Amino acid sequence: MAQGVTTVVKILAPIALEALAKAAEALLAGAAYADKRTREVGSGDDGAIISTDTWQYCETNFASQYGYYYQGLRSQPTTGDLPIAAAEDIIIWDKDNGISDITAYLQVVFKDSIAPADSIEISQNLGQLFASRFKEESLDWTPFSKRFNFPDGLIVDCYMVTASAHDVHDNPAGVASYCFVAYNHAR
């Protein structure tokens, strides 16, 4: 029985991964899902409706996790510190057709916005997290959050959702949507 399930997963995972990649492309193009779940926003919000595409999902759950809304460089961490860097992105990780070296990609994302040593360290840490997530077979979106505290007072709050499988050559592959805010907090 287990062998049959393994065979089915090996056949379906690359197909599902392709479907996830197409969905990510649609998100990047701004396409909205027809089936939306919304909630009323609380006092102090701008009245926007929050839908369930991955960026909105990351942004909403970022607020639940860290106590402040993700708004790029306009984010307002609870410490009162101003962000020095913020971004959101969708990564398609595939050794042949997407980003093959996540750590190098993340170094490019962080290198111009935070100190070089912090940039290298967070790129390596997040790269390892992404790589370990993509080793798992999980065709469902899996949420993950992490706060990085650096010795120099830099704090980076990161929220992501991932989905992973293996490509047709049995290499790990996946899709990740994430957002982060970096800010210096004097101790």
Side-chain angles (χ1 to χ4, degrees):
M1 176 70 174
Q3 181 63 20
V5 170
T6 302
T7 302
V8 169
V9 169
K10 285 187 179 204
I11 293 169
L12 292 179
I15 296 167
L17 183 61
E18 183 177 340
L20 286 170
K22 287 182 182 177
E25 287 175 9
L27 287 172
L28 286 171
Y33 288 99
D35 181 27
K36 290 185 179 179
R37 179 176 53 91
T38 59
R39 71 161 175 87
E40 301 224 1
V41 291
S43 63
D45 290 335
D46 64 359
I49 300 297
I50 298 175
S51 63
T52 58
D53 70 348
T54 60
W55 278 355
Q56 293 294 331
Y57 179 86
C58 282
E59 291 172 5
T60 301
N61 285 289
F62 185 97
S64 297
Q65 180 68 32
Y66 298 112
Y68 65 96
Y69 287 103
Y70 173 84
Q71 296 176 334
L73 288 174
R74 295 180 307 141
S75 299
Q76 298 176 358
T78 56
T79 60
D81 300 307
L82 296 175
I84 59 169
E88 60 186 331
D89 198 3
I90 293 179
I91 297 173
I92 299 172
W93 188 53
D94 180 347
K95 294 203 181 277
D96 297 325
N97 299 316
I99 296 170
S100 61
D101 185 345
I102 292 174
T103 301
Y105 173 79
L106 291 171
Q107 285 178 347
V108 171
V109 169
F110 290 111
K111 77 173 184 167
D112 293 329
S113 56
I114 61 178
D118 293 339
S119 171
I120 291 167
E121 186 174 343
I122 195 165
S123 298
Q124 290 171 342
N125 287 337
L126 279 175
Q128 290 171 351
L129 290 173
F130 281 128
S132 72
R133 283 293 177 135
F134 291 152
K135 287 180 184 173
E136 303 169 3
E137 291 276 339
S138 176
L139 298 179
D140 292 325
W141 289 107
T142 305
F144 182 78
S145 62
K146 177 106 174 131
R147 172 171 277 166
F148 296 92
N149 292 292
F150 292 91
D152 61 2
L154 179 70
I155 297 173
V156 180
D157 295 333
C158 183
Y159 192 89
M160 70 179 95
V161 292
T162 60
S164 59
H166 284 81
D167 66 14
V168 295
H169 304 294
D170 204 30
N171 294 316
V175 177
S177 177
Y178 73 95
C179 58
F180 77 90
V181 174
Y183 52 98
N184 286 312
H185 181 65
R187 295 176 188 203

